[in-house]
Amino acid sequence: MRTNEKVVLLEEYFRETPPADAAWALQFLCGRTLPRAVPTKSLWLWAAEAAQIPVWLMEESYQAVGDLAETIALLLPDSLESTGLSLSQLVEQRLVPLRSLPERARHDLLQKTWLELSSSERLVWNKLITGEFRLGVARTLVIRALAAVAQVEPAIMAHRVMGSWTPTSADFTRLLAPTSPQSPEIAQPYPFFLASPLEIKIRRGESLEPLGRIQDWFAEWKWDGIRAQLIRRQGESLLWSRGDEMITEAFPEIIEASHVLPEGTVLDGEILAWQGERPLPFSKLQRRLGRKKVAGKTRAEFLIAFVAYDLLEFAGTDIRTQPLEQRRRQLEELLQQVTGQLAEEVTWRTYDATETPLFPGAAAIDTNPCSPFLPSRCGVTGALQVLPSSFETATFTLYPSSASVDATCQCAASTPPPNSRSEGTSA
Amino acid sequence: MGAISTVAPRSRIGKDTFAMLLQNTERGLYCPAGGFHIDPWQPVDLAIITHGHSDHARPGSRQYLTEATGKPILQSRLGMNAPVETLRYDQTVTRNGVKISLHPAGHILGSAQVRLEHAGEVCVISGDYKLEADGTCAPFELVRCHTFVTESTFGLPIYRWRPQEEIFRELNQWWHANQLVNRTSVLFCYALGKAQRLLAGLEPRLGPIFLHGAMERFLPAYQAAGINLPAAVKADAQNVKGAGGAGIVLAPDSAANSSWLRKFGDVSTAFASGWMQVRGPRRRRALDRGFVLSDHADWNGLLQTIRATGAEKIWATHGYTAPLVRYLREGGWSAETIETQFAGELGEDMESGGARPVLEEPVEPPAAES
């Protein structure tokens, strides 16, 4: 199913379903399932009993299906009549009691419930009682649908959903409330400024003259990490990845460390797994994504670095229209102030390509102080071969420091940083 | 199921009679008394063919015998000059003292159960069968017997079919919903049998029906048998796109992800097969929809048929034989798995939806008697 169709279906569901049921649906869509309500062994025996087949035949069936909840749903006899249990009734009157009932009563309640559900309902029910309910819908889509229903920005909805709420009618209604002008939402990130190739086509060996002077460019490594915005507002910290995804819970180290940032700060940067002086491959980091909780063991595996490359908001003011050079200076000052107070496992740093012998003349880069942060892409074709053919391995981003060059470009370069990648834009 | 013929009690039949009637050999099922094979997978002198699917009808034999309406199918598979003799349903011939008759199996056009009788012993080889009548072939007919050789493609209780009317209603609803967003419907299915059954179940008033070339090939056999199917034309980029998303295209599974398919622009894909009962095969194919429609008996259908034949001895072949055999044994039947050999390739029109089980039981030489 197409992504937009999923969102439309979710929207319809959230709009038309009574809040008491929609609240539970949202709870489960967010992956907040209840713990297993029936021990697996009992489930096997009772399902075989309901299906009137020997347990070995249920095992054979399970081998063919590969999923216990689905196997049981397929094996149970057709339901007699649907009693039309709503989701909230199913959860509150069946699922929750099921866990605390004594064995015999639990057996009876489960058998009764199975008989009252249709085949597709049983699959969901079985997933709920085994605590394994998952739906192939990304949380960002759920949030997008909720945002559309509530007519608020997805970022605001993501922040609300991340906050504390219980699966009740009242809380769900509160989640869908319109934005109130009295309390501006603190969650909103800025649009990400993405690097894209330059419109000027320069083939290998051709003159670089159209680019102007190298001194008019500001060079920066392109990291193979997670592009992110770190927001510190009203005593709260939020982490956004590109594409409207809130990843606050996946990187508790950054959130903890961010408490030293002054109010009204938004950093643009890259999250990297870090070891010693080197970033680790992106795959290490990837395992963190989608986590709701990060255990101490996972945290101990490697350090997390937030490599800040831009300051978008300072002292509560949007400074994106200020020249890059100025923002950069403010960023460095800010980070110098807080570095002493950082938790040990987090590395704050800026990383300027001019610190490395990137290419001849790089150290002499003279940033012309008039390049605003451009919240749009600069569309273009073809990779730009700026350097001699032997230098083809790494990618970095050049920001135009001159107002006359209204674009960024990606070029091949020598001596790549340890995990920079060879093409594409950052994650 | 209308039961036909009666059979003598087993006690009156001689001990070695069954061994003379049917044996499983390395070429397939063989009748020693009659001197012929049933659905052999290697060339033999005389092959009785239950139906034209490629795992049942193999080339190279000197003589074939099949049901009359299945002859064009067999010839389109084996060549127009293949030596195919025919029998009509319920017609009986005798060969070396063995009475041979064919009875509708309800699987595809011309599909037949083979009834063999010799010295009072009756054996029925089901081939593939389906109990629900669908209008594109003669409906299944129950034949009582001492020994029943049954298929067991869907020999697990997870496979239970809903009435085809419900499936066709959902299928037509899916087609219609796609039309509303100008998206061509592409329905994957097996080219022989399922495609024609689907054609018969589609609502032709909804829009134009297009066929992949592989489906067209078998249409003349259905026309010759007087089966009424809605008009359908061979699909190409012009006519399908020209229909502006209103059309439905029937195509074999092998056309999925092909350049042929990409010519049609925006499509919604579905697969019609019994294997769609389980979500795994549905998801592995990355389909928009899976319609559970099978031309085989489901678990209850297998058990119902086995009981109704009155057979004491069951040989299970094709698919999930092991669970069926164990279940039957626990129910007091004498039951065994009969190993089927596929000659390397799976037929294009077989129901091999990715979930085809490995036959785990070793090849057992069938007992000469039970």
Side-chain angles (χ1 to χ4, degrees), chain B residues 11 14 37 80 138 168 182 199 205 208 226 234-235 249 258 288 292 299 312 321 326 355:
Chain B
S11 54
H37 290 76
M80 291 315 288
F168 281 125
N182 303 319
L199 269 180
R205 283 174 302 179
K234 187 168 177 176
V249 182
S258 66
D288 294 318
V292 185
W299 171 258
E312 300 152 29
T321 52
R326 181 169 169 190

Side-chain angles (χ1 to χ4, degrees), chain A residues 1-2 5 52-54 56-58 60-62 64-65 67 70-71 73-78 122-123 127, chain B residues 155-160 181 183 266-268 277-280 282-283 288 299 320 322-323 326-327 330:
Chain A
M1 189 178 282
R2 280 82 172 160
E5 292 173 355
Q52 298 177 295
I53 57 168
W56 69 260
L57 188 52
M58 190 170 145
E60 294 272 2
S61 299
Y62 171 75
V65 177
D67 179 283
E70 188 184 357
T71 306
L74 291 171
L75 287 175
L76 293 172
D78 294 333
R122 282 167 179 170
L123 177 61
K127 287 283 181 191
Chain B
L156 280 174
I158 52 172
Y159 295 109
R160 286 181 302 165
V181 290
R183 188 176 289 157
D266 191 15
V267 298
S268 178
Q277 175 83 339
V278 176
R279 291 188 308 158
R282 267 201 318 262
R283 281 193 298 211
D288 294 318
W299 171 258
Y320 288 104
R326 181 169 169 190
Y327 188 83
E330 290 186 358

Side-chain angles (χ1 to χ4, degrees), chain B residues 186-209:
Chain B
V186 175
L187 180 57
F188 297 114
C189 58
Y190 305 106
L192 172 56
K194 185 66 62 63
Q196 293 75 24
R197 185 181 174 195
L198 287 168
L199 269 180
L202 288 173
E203 178 49 71
R205 283 174 302 179
L206 277 179
I209 302 172

